[in-house]
Amino acid sequence: MYRQFLAVLALSVFLCPALNAADKTQQLERALELAASKAAASNKDVMNDNILLTVDFKERGSREGSDVALTIPLNPDEYKKYDEQYKNSGKIYIDGYLYYPLFTYEATEEERRSEEYKYQVFPGSNYNNTENGKYYIESEDLLKGRRPVYGQLWSNGLLVSPAAMGTIGCKAYALGPQWVITSGTCPIDTYDSSLLVVGGITYEERTDRKILDISLNGMAINSPFYKQQGNITLFYVPQDKNPAMSTFLGKQKTLKIMAFSKPQNIFALNAFGKFFVHTSRGGALVKDKTSAELKQGSLREGGIFQASSWYNGTATDPLFFTVNNQEYLTAYNAAPESYMLRTDLDSDFHAEHIGAWDGKASDFYYALNTKDLDFIRQTISAQDPAGWEQIKGQFFLDNPNTPYFK
């Protein structure tokens, strides 16, 4: 209800003609402070220690630019240069096209007779400076101890854009001082499906994503590790390389997670406690929870179900179950998240100040399952055995009285 209060008070501030600009600013600030205090009171003792996890990256757009294969001859002085460039990045871009190196060698007697190479060896007929009566083989690499008779760059005509910057953001929680968890829908490895326009050229697909840094509440993680499977994405924060961040994570409330042997079992909890959607759609100032009701008969294949609330959650928002002043993460919002690439100064300003990513809203959620819990155990115990022993008691199956890991 405090949001309604905030809206009415804000309207009164702006609609009252007797107030000058300074008065309006002061009253709006007081309204925001009051709203924040009401939010804090309503959220007392609940799991609201959410962390903003952001991923900065760069990627390109791609499109079919030519139906004809393109080639650029190389001279011997360029062989090593382009071979090293290809090994370092796997990509060679020239005039907006993607190229690969290709070197022609005289085939050895073993290669000519081998079943492994019989489809790669071809006879010379003055092709690419080769000679009749000899046999040749092609490779994308410079072969050690052998000198190419010919080198070239070739392209299948794929047109690529200049590299553009992007950022995505996902709501995360601390599992322990070295581990952070968020939804499997966090698009760290998923390309946006929208078209990209750069310099008046439209690119239908995205490609070549390179992650630049991963941050928690604006603090970059040194040497991060992440793994994504099913409904879960885990991030490892090495304690020895991130001491301040590990201290911060260690002070967060203990996150408890409840999964279900069958997705329909989540509906049985209605008789024992309440469900809440945790979101911060109102911004960083007001983090809120809103009561949610699981809709009977809404269960779909894959453990997806509907939970109605005062306002819907957005991408990566969790659904918590609360009983006896304890909260348990049970599901994640099913909505996707989109993002905008920054290709020039205007879009950079837009992304910086208006929105780099957009979490869509939905009232559908994915119930967590035993595969999710097993993935968490396998990942953490392999990377951080001592850390796993500290947190393995935080996982439950079907109800708060049944620990999943002994």
Side-chain angles (χ1 to χ4, degrees), residues 12-34:
S12 67
V13 169
F14 285 107
L15 294 179
C16 180
L19 295 175
N20 58 34
D23 292 334
K24 292 178 182 178
T25 300
Q26 292 174 358
Q27 290 215 16
L28 180 58
E29 289 176 351
R30 286 196 294 270
L32 290 172
E33 290 173 1
L34 181 57

Side-chain angles (χ1 to χ4, degrees), residues 73-83 103 129 142 147-152:
L74 298 177
N75 62 56
D77 294 335
E78 297 175 311
Y79 289 178
K80 187 175 182 180
K81 167 188 171 183
Y82 284 106
D83 179 65
F103 304 104
N129 298 334
L142 282 177
R147 182 178 178 82
V149 298
Y150 181 75
Q152 67 177 351

Side-chain angles (χ1 to χ4, degrees), residues 206-283:
R206 311 291 182 93
T207 185
D208 294 352
R209 177 175 293 184
K210 180 179 180 180
I211 293 176
L212 303 176
D213 64 65
I214 301 173
S215 300
L216 300 178
N217 283 358
M219 299 180 291
I221 304 175
N222 295 316
S223 303
F225 163 85
Y226 73 91
K227 195 169 184 180
Q228 193 171 60
Q229 182 176 299
N231 301 316
I232 299 297
T233 304
L234 292 173
F235 292 84
Y236 178 55
V237 182
Q239 197 164 18
D240 57 337
K241 298 180 180 179
N242 302 272
M245 192 178 299
S246 293
T247 299
F248 162 74
L249 295 177
K251 293 180 179 179
Q252 304 303 298
K253 293 180 182 177
T254 300
L255 177 68
K256 295 180 173 64
I257 296 179
M258 188 187 306
F260 303 91
S261 53
K262 298 178 181 179
Q264 55 266 36
N265 288 359
I266 193 171
F267 290 87
L269 296 180
N270 276 325
F272 302 99
K274 296 181 179 180
F275 286 93
F276 291 91
V277 176
H278 284 245
T279 188
S280 49
R281 294 179 67 182

Side-chain angles (χ1 to χ4, degrees), residues 47 173-177 179 181 249-250 252-259 326-329 368 373 376 380 387-397 399-400 402-406:
M47 175 54 65
Y173 292 87
L175 269 177
W179 290 94
I181 186 171
L249 295 177
Q252 304 303 298
K253 293 180 182 177
T254 300
L255 177 68
K256 295 180 173 64
I257 296 179
M258 188 187 306
Q326 295 290 325
E327 284 202 349
Y328 303 83
L329 172 62
L368 301 183
L373 297 188
I376 294 172
I380 297 181
W388 172 247
E389 290 300 316
Q390 294 177 354
I391 67 174
K392 68 179 184 180
Q394 299 168 204
F395 303 90
F396 300 84
L397 183 66
N399 66 76
T402 307
Y404 187 64
F405 302 109
K406 304 301 183 182

Side-chain angles (χ1 to χ4, degrees), residues 122-167:
F122 58 90
S125 56
N126 295 324
Y127 167 69
N128 288 347
N129 298 334
T130 58
E131 299 179 17
N132 285 320
K134 293 186 176 181
Y135 289 84
Y136 299 88
I137 191 170
E138 292 179 330
S139 170
E140 290 185 346
D141 300 307
L142 282 177
L143 302 180
K144 189 175 181 179
R146 297 171 68 176
R147 182 178 178 82
V149 298
Y150 181 75
Q152 67 177 351
L153 300 178
W154 72 275
S155 172
N156 60 4
L158 186 68
L159 191 65
V160 292
S161 74
M165 302 288 294
T167 303

